[in-house]
């Protein structure tokens, strides 16, 4: 492998891992803020327990997100210095705003929320959480502004070979960012909804398994027990499960609507990306449900559409069912005419200077990434709808396999989010800053990925850093999963130690095996 390939793997691994934390932090943060708002308005105990329990899981994920995000800065500086120089004048403002919100506002108000329980007035304490959560949402917007500029450069002019920002408003209101932002937030809510549903399902099942709740043949539910897993706890899990299911379904509808808008922009701004995602080799109107081809082959000659729905591709691109959409075979000559057939003979390209440019992204990744994104999202939404129907009885079936399915279902929207992100980034290749044939973009501003890698970093250094960062991330993954499992098993008592004392009451187990099962972290 060459240094460029290693650098791309490093970027992919660190970014995808970090992106696992982002949607859960954004989505769960919003839901926890709503839970505390309900507690503030009603004073009901189950809303307080919901806030405490889900808030603790939110904090664990937030901390891991910050830790993995810091590594991103390191790998940008080490492996992508030429890229950093090229985009530096544009990225300075949005990344500064993101840092201000992420590391100042979020951290400050989250700290006040953590240590402000029973110290701050309730309203002030609630406003601290909303400030931290909204800051995380807006910090995501500024990251998307920077990323969207790479997809659709606007608001700049070229000076000495580098883009210089001349219109900050155009950069911050880039139509790509305005559409990507709600799509990302809805994706985050889908993750949070499935998270609430899967974990709450487990606890409702556990209560039935332990005999705390019984369901008679006529459908009458009897809620029993006392202490940490009493009737109030039952309301915690039932309300959480129902809320998660409703949020997951609304979020899927939102991602569908915003995804359609995003798709139409992509057809205008990056037609090759969407053509590759559809395996649309020839001009036409049909959307491929299933296409086959030789694995790894970068040629349309190997692609055969097995199942195709006429008109759908045209609708996704143009909003009608008849306008033909350009396929790969038409777009390739257009790209070659506009941007050249070989990389420029420039030292910044190293040994790649003068080599042929392949404008077709890896079709397996874009094609299946697009379908995994939609498929996993649809599965999660359908499962949420079915769960909402089952939960009408006030509990869940005793089936252990159904419980496991609900818990593993948490991974579906995570998979959809990750696949969507990979599709977005991989589909832009061979550009790191993509040119835009769209009239609202600036077609002359682009950068090949081959020119973006740091010239002074050796292959060995990149390999060592790749192994080191991957190992660190693997350890962090194990730590996070263990922490989440521990606190999830502990139930509400893991976030409210005072409830654990009720273990002394007969028939009120908390799910803990011993005192070390639930960690001592309380806030």
């Amino acid at each position: 492998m060459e240094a460029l390939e290693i650098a791309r793997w490093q970027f992919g691994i660190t970014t995808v891992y970090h992106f696992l934390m982002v949607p859960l932090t954004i989505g769960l943060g919003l839901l926890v803020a709503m839970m505390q708002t309900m507690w503030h308005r009603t004073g009901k105990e189950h809303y307080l327990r919901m806030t405490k329990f889900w808030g603790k899981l939110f904090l664990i994920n937030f901390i891991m997100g910050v830790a993995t995000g810091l590594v991103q800065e390191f790998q940008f500086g080490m492996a992508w210095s030429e890229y950093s120089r090229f985009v530096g004048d544009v990225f300075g403002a949005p990344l500064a705003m993101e840092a201000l919100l992420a590391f100042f506002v979020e951290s400050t108000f989250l700290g006040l929320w953590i240590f402000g329980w029973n110290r701050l007035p309730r309203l002030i304490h609630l406003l601290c959480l909303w400030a931290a959560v909204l800051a995380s949402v807006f910090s995501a917007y500024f990251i998307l502004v920077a990323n969207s500029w790479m997809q659709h450069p606007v608001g700049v002019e070229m000076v000495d070979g580098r883009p210089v920002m001349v219109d900050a408003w155009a950069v911050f209101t880039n139509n790509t960012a305005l559409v990507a932002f709600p799509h990302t937030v809805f994706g985050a809510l889908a993750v949070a909804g499935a998270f609430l549903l899967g974990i709450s399902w487990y606890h409702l099942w556990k209560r039935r398994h332990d005999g705390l709740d019984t369901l008679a043949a006529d459908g009458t539910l009897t809620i029993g027990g006392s202490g940490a897993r009493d009737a109030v706890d039952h309301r915690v899990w039932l309300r959480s499960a129902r809320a998660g299911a409703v949020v997951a379904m609304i979020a899927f509808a939102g991602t569908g609507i915003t995804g359609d808008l995003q798709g139409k922009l992509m057809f205008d701004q990056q037609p090759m990306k969407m053509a590759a995602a559809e395996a649309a080799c020839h001009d036409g109107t049909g959307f491929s449900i299933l296409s086959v081809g030789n694995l790894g082959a970068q040629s349309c000659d190997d692609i055969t559409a097995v199942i195709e729905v006429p008109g759908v591709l045209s609708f996704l691109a143009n909003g009608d069912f008849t306008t033909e959409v350009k396929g790969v075979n038409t777009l390739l000559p257009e790209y070659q005419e506009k941007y050249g057939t070989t990389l420029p003979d420039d030292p910044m390209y190293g040994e790649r200077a003068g080599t042929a440019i392949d404008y077709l992204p890896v079709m397996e990744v874009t094609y299946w990434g697009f379908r995994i994104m939609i498929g996993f999202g649809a599965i999660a939404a359908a499962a949420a709808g079915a769960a909402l129907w089952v939960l009408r009885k006030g509990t869940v079936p005793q089936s252990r396999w159904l419980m496991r399915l609900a818990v593993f279902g948490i991974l579906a929207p995570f998979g959809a989010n990750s696949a969507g992100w990979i599709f977005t980034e991989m589909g832009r290749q061979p550009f790191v800053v993509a040119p835009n044939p769209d009239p609202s973009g600036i077609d002359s501003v682009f950068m090949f990925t081959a020119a973006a890698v740091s010239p002074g970093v050796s292959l060995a250094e990149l390999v060592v850093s790749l192994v080191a960062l991957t190992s660190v991330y693997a350890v962090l993954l194990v730590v996070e999963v263990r922490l989440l499992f521990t606190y999830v098993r502990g139930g509400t008592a893991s976030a409210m130690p005072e409830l654990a004392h009720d273990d002394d009451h007969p028939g009120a187990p908390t799910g803990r095996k011993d005192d070390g099962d639930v960690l001592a972290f309380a806030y």
Side-chain angles (χ1 to χ4, degrees):
M1 277 191 174
E2 300 178 11
L4 175 62
E5 311 250 324
I6 299 296
R8 288 183 64 188
W9 272 105
Q10 185 181 92
F11 177 84
I13 291 171
T14 56
T15 302
V16 170
Y17 184 83
H18 175 62
F19 194 64
L20 291 176
M21 318 293 169
V22 174
L24 184 57
T25 298
I26 293 174
L28 192 56
L30 286 168
L31 296 184
V32 171
M34 291 177 188
M35 292 170 189
Q36 186 166 347
T37 301
M38 292 303 296
W39 175 59
H40 177 75
R41 294 189 61 182
T42 66
K44 292 182 177 176
E45 172 71 11
H46 62 271
Y47 284 123
L48 173 62
R49 294 191 189 184
M50 288 167 71
T51 304
K52 285 273 192 173
F53 175 75
W54 298 112
K56 176 160 278 188
L57 302 184
F58 162 70
L59 288 176
I60 293 170
N61 193 70
F62 173 83
I63 293 166
M64 287 296 175
V66 171
T68 54
L70 290 173
V71 178
Q72 287 285 90
E73 309 291 336
F74 168 77
Q75 67 100 18
F76 267 126
M78 187 193 75
W80 301 101
S81 61
E82 290 298 320
Y83 158 81
S84 300
R85 289 191 187 93
F86 186 77
V87 302
D89 187 77
V90 183
F91 277 26
L95 292 188
M97 293 297 293
E98 194 275 337
L100 185 67
L101 289 169
F103 293 102
F104 181 72
V105 178
E106 274 183 271
S107 304
T108 300
F109 285 98
L110 206 55
L112 287 170
W113 183 69
I114 294 170
F115 297 105
W117 283 100
N118 303 321
R119 294 182 176 87
L120 292 174
R122 278 191 181 185
L123 179 60
I124 300 298
H125 186 247
L126 172 63
L127 293 177
C128 287
L129 177 59
W130 273 111
V133 169
L134 291 179
S136 72
V137 173
F138 280 107
S139 81
Y141 176 74
F142 290 117
I143 288 293
L144 287 170
V145 166
N147 182 268
S148 295
W149 188 85
M150 295 157 63
Q151 313 284 348
H152 182 227
V154 293
V156 297
E157 65 180 26
M158 295 298 286
V159 177
D160 297 330
R162 289 181 59 235
V164 175
M165 187 190 296
V166 294
D167 187 349
W169 178 253
V171 172
F172 281 92
T173 58
N174 189 339
N175 57 7
T176 307
L178 294 178
V179 174
F181 176 62
H183 190 67
T184 304
V185 172
F186 279 123
L189 287 171
V191 169
F195 194 71
L196 257 66
L197 177 58
I199 292 173
S200 300
W201 190 290
Y202 163 76
H203 278 288
L204 287 170
W205 172 85
K206 185 73 174 161
R207 290 177 62 90
R208 293 205 63 189
H209 179 266
D210 292 345
L212 291 178
D213 302 333
T214 56
L215 189 65
D218 62 356
T220 303
L221 176 68
T222 301
I223 301 169
S226 60
R229 293 169 65 194
D230 59 8
V232 178
D233 245 23
H234 175 270
R235 281 197 288 277
V236 168
W237 306 124
L238 185 61
R239 293 289 176 90
S240 296
R242 286 174 172 169
V246 170
V247 167
M249 289 191 295
I250 293 173
F252 178 70
T255 53
I257 294 169
T258 54
D260 179 61
L261 297 174
Q262 210 170 16
K264 287 177 170 57
L265 278 181
M266 281 188 193
F267 270 109
D268 288 335
Q269 297 171 356
Q270 297 180 51
M272 183 64 82
K273 176 192 286 188
M274 291 306 289
E278 302 299 331
C281 292
H282 307 286
D283 299 356
T285 64
F287 177 85
S288 165
I289 301 295
L290 176 63
S291 292
V292 296
N294 293 330
L295 192 64
Q298 282 295 85
S299 169
C300 270
D301 297 335
D302 299 316
I303 305 296
T304 303
V306 178
I307 306 173
E308 195 172 83
V309 182
V312 175
L313 180 60
S314 183
F315 179 80
L316 291 174
N318 305 300
D320 60 51
F321 296 96
T322 55
T323 305
E324 285 206 338
V325 179
K326 291 180 180 177
V328 172
N329 290 337
T330 300
L331 291 170
L332 274 177
E334 293 182 4
Y335 271 68
Q336 289 169 345
E337 183 180 352
K338 282 186 176 181
Y339 312 115
T341 56
T342 59
L343 290 173
D345 189 14
D346 189 304
M348 68 189 303
Y349 292 96
E351 296 179 353
R352 290 175 175 262
T355 57
I357 304 170
D358 185 0
Y359 288 103
L360 184 61
V362 180
M363 290 186 75
E364 292 93 335
V365 175
T366 52
Y367 183 84
W368 290 111
F370 192 59
R371 278 146 190 79
I372 290 172
M373 174 182 67
I374 297 172
F376 277 15
I379 289 171
L388 203 57
W389 170 257
V390 172
L391 288 165
R392 75 190 187 285
K393 295 180 179 177
T395 187
V396 299
Q398 283 185 305
S399 168
R400 184 184 293 271
W401 284 105
L402 208 53
M403 178 273 292
R404 288 174 176 169
L405 195 61
V407 172
F408 279 109
I410 294 172
L411 299 178
F414 274 107
N417 273 266
S418 298
W421 190 251
I422 291 170
F423 160 67
T424 300
E425 298 302 288
M426 289 285 287
R428 193 176 60 230
Q429 298 302 321
F431 300 100
V432 65
V433 176
N436 277 217
D438 174 35
S440 66
I442 304 174
D443 204 19
S444 61
V445 177
F446 62 87
M447 184 183 203
F448 288 109
T449 306
V453 71
S454 301
V457 179
S458 67
L459 176 62
E461 289 169 333
L462 284 169
V463 170
V464 170
S465 63
L466 172 66
V467 173
L469 292 179
T470 304
S471 302
V472 169
Y473 275 19
V475 172
L476 289 176
L477 180 63
V478 171
V479 171
E480 174 162 21
V481 170
R482 182 181 180 279
L483 284 173
L484 290 177
F485 266 89
T486 301
Y487 284 109
V488 165
R489 278 204 318 271
T492 52
S494 65
M496 302 177 72
E498 63 272 24
L499 297 176
H501 298 314
D502 289 336
D503 283 358
D504 297 333
H505 297 173
T510 63
R512 300 189 310 161
K513 294 177 181 177
D514 52 51
D515 289 343
D517 193 19
V518 175
L519 301 184
F521 168 44
Y523 64 102

